[in-house]
């Protein structure tokens, strides 16, 4: 069966090629990039237009705000329309989800930015609404700790319950860069030495294994398949679920889940659960939820809020959610879904991917905190990668680890040579190699924009902390955008011209 017929039927597609709709989008977007090059007075023919990918690393709300600030400044610098692909991990996907819910966000970014800041500075999601969302997740064939954490914890970071899906968000005539969200296959991560492919991407068109070349339409991802054919449809996962969190400290996560079960047991026994609810709230604040994000029943709650919260807790018990959570905790199940490759017969796919009925998909940051492998697919033909690194630890870890992994996989990637120590990075690095994309690497906190106060900035925006105030948000956006991007505008233009010259002389 041809690739196009596979795409039309909604079945599994095994091929090292782009989805035909992605090919069509790329052709249109390259025209936009060409027009942008002309405005920037960068000389190139239409055939020489570079394919540029922008990567946002993980880093919780620091990455979410940092990426937003970077995009705003790229737009002001006239560079945003040069970007073909936008790919993210963990916290960067929180920003992406907020942006792409607004059609053609890149054409009205200042307004969208203000709306996002207003939401992040606001009161957040009510406890009752969070439990109502958790109850919806429980109706799926597979319920995991990802559902619990998305409904109870992630809502406290992003302060909304986004029930749109990727296919809801996307218009094939979109004026925005093509979005790619990334996770990893947990089983492949453990068994990578056996030839498994852990790199899993989810775009508005397809979800699948980046290096293996095995995909299914995103609207069908999560449905039950056998031998390449859909047997049992499931609803497409929503954006709240896709905003996978960086794995929280296990003991803290475990404590929240235990307390959730205890709340329900208290209600069953006719006891007041408010003390346990307060404990959950405190733990979530320590994990980064901050204060006043979940509206907890108490003296200051309105009667309607108390009734709503009480109603949701009863429903929580009625649907045996506490037992499901206990099962997930016992087996430590995260991100479980049906395996769309189950029982297929294909020699090009690692055998391990064909056997199991289910797969577990987890935060890509647990293996590599930047989505390099989504854009290193040969068929995407990327010329320039701009890596925005919002990582908490070593600011060079993502690019160094990518080089090492690429060597193991025999994938072209430039050699990473560094003279600076991780504690004192500069703001702009360029790595080039033969037959490889040029990589620009930009650490968030560096000696240029922070001077001798890098450690103070890192501590100020530590990953495990309460939600940012409006001032902390705007300060971080200034560092990521007005300083990191605006300071390096000319260098970015130089490197774009350099990759064009390189294409010209191939």
């Amino acid at each position: 069966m041809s690739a196009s017929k596979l795409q039309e039927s909604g079945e599994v597609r095994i091929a090292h090629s782009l989805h035909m709709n992605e090919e069509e989008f790329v052709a249109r977007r390259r025209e936009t990039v060409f027009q942008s090059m002309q405005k920037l007075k960068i000389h190139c023919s239409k055939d020489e237009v570079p394919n540029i990918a922008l990567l946002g690393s993980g880093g919780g709300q620091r990455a979410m705000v940092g990426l937003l600030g970077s995009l705003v400044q790229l737009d002001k610098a006239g560079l945003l329309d040069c970007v073909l692909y936008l790919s993210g991990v963990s916290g960067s996907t929180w920003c992406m989800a907020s942006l792409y819910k607004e059609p053609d966000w890149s054409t009205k970014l200042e307004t969208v930015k203000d709306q996002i800041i207003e939401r992040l500075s606001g009161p957040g999601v009510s406890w009752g609404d969070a439990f109502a969302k958790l109850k919806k997740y429980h109706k799926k064939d597979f319920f995991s700790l990802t559902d619990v954490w998305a409904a109870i914890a992630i809502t406290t970071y992003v302060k909304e319950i986004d029930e749109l899906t990727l296919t809801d968000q996307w218009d094939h005539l979109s004026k925005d860069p093509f979005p790619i969200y990334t996770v990893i296959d947990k089983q492949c991560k453990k068994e990578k030495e056996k030839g498994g492919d852990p790199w899993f991407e989810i775009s508005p068109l397809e979800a699948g294994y980046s290096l293996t070349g095995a995909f299914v339409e995103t609207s069908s991802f999560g449905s039950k398949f056998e031998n390449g054919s859909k047997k049992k449809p499931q609803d497409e996962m929503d954006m709240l679920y896709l905003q996978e969190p960086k794995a929280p400290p296990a003991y803290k996560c475990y404590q929240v889940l235990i307390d959730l079960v205890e709340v329900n047991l208290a209600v069953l026994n006719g006891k007041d659960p408010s003390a346990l609810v307060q404990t959950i709230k405190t733990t979530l604040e320590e994990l980064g939820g901050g204060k006043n994000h979940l509206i907890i029943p108490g003296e200051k709650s309105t009667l309607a809020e108390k009734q709503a919260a009480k109603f949701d807790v009863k429903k929580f018990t009625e649907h045996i959610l506490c037992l499901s959570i206990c099962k997930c905790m016992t087996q430590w199940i995260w991100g479980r879904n049906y395996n769309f490759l189950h029982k297929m017969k294909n020699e090009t796919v690692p055998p391990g991917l064909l056997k199991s009925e289910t797969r577990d998909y987890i935060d890509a940051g647990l293996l590599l905190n930047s989505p390099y492998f989504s854009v290193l697919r040969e068929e995407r033909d990327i010329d320039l990668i701009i890596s925005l690194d919002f990582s908490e630890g070593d600011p060079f870890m993502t690019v160094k680890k990518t080089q090492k992994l690429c060597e193991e996989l025999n994938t072209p990637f430039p050699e990473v040579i560094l003279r600076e120590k991780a504690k004192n990075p500069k703001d702009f690095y360029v790595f080039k190699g033969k037959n490889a994309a040029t990589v620009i690497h930009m650490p968030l906190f560096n000696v240029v924009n922070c001077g001798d106060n890098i450690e103070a900035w890192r501590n100020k925006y530590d990953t495990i902390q309460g939600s940012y105030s409006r001032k902390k948000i705007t300060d971080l956006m200034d560092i990521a955008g007005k300083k990191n991007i605006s300071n390096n505008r000319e260098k970015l233009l130089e490197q774009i011209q350099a990759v064009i010259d390189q294409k010209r002389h191939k």
Side-chain angles (χ1 to χ4, degrees), residues 238-250:
D238 59 38
M239 294 309 303
L240 178 62
Y241 184 91
L242 277 177
Q243 294 175 66
E244 179 72 24
K246 183 87 174 192

Side-chain angles (χ1 to χ4, degrees), residues 180-354:
I180 308 173
Y181 298 76
T182 57
V183 293
I184 55 172
D185 182 308
K186 180 181 177 182
Q187 289 91 330
C188 285
K189 174 180 178 288
K190 289 183 177 180
E191 302 171 2
K192 59 182 179 179
E193 69 279 0
K194 298 180 182 179
D197 175 9
W199 313 107
F200 197 91
E201 63 179 64
I202 308 171
S203 80
L205 302 174
E206 287 186 310
Y209 294 89
S210 302
L211 302 187
T212 298
F215 305 97
V216 69
E217 289 189 351
T218 300
S219 58
S220 296
F221 177 50
S223 294
K224 185 175 183 178
F225 281 76
E226 189 171 307
N227 194 24
S229 296
K230 191 190 299 185
K231 298 298 183 184
K232 184 180 180 182
Q234 297 279 295
D235 291 338
E236 183 181 348
M237 59 186 64
D238 59 38
M239 294 309 303
L240 178 62
Y241 184 91
L242 277 177
Q243 294 175 66
E244 179 72 24
K246 183 87 174 192
Y251 72 96
K252 290 283 188 182
C253 176
Y254 188 82
Q255 186 60 54
V256 170
L257 300 173
I258 286 290
D259 289 341
L260 285 169
V261 174
E262 292 294 332
V263 165
N264 289 275
L265 293 176
V267 172
L268 281 172
N269 295 320
K271 297 179 180 179
D272 182 6
S274 55
L276 285 165
V277 170
Q278 185 58 46
T279 299
I280 293 170
K281 180 184 178 185
T282 300
T283 306
L284 288 175
E285 288 173 2
E286 292 173 359
L287 284 167
K291 297 182 179 180
N292 302 317
H293 301 158
L294 292 176
I295 302 172
I296 307 297
E299 292 181 3
K300 295 183 180 180
S301 300
T302 66
L303 178 60
E305 286 167 349
K306 291 179 182 178
Q307 289 175 338
K310 184 176 181 181
F311 174 80
D312 285 327
V313 171
K314 285 183 177 179
K315 287 292 184 182
F316 184 80
T317 302
E318 290 170 6
H319 286 79
I320 324 175
L321 272 172
C322 58
L323 295 179
S324 298
I325 292 173
C326 284
K327 177 184 176 182
C328 292
M329 284 192 297
T330 301
Q331 301 179 19
W332 207 239
I333 299 171
W334 291 84
R336 181 154 297 175
N337 281 276
Y338 282 116
N339 176 18
F340 64 86
L341 295 170
H342 183 49
K343 289 188 176 180
M344 282 193 71
K345 295 177 177 62
N346 192 293
E347 295 180 356
T348 66
V349 178
L353 286 176
L354 305 175

Side-chain angles (χ1 to χ4, degrees), residues 427 443-451 454 457 479-480 483-484 487:
D427 59 345
L444 174 61
F445 300 129
N446 52 72
V447 294
V448 177
N449 60 32
C450 299
I454 293 178
W457 277 96
I479 284 285
K483 293 188 177 178
N484 271 9
N487 284 351

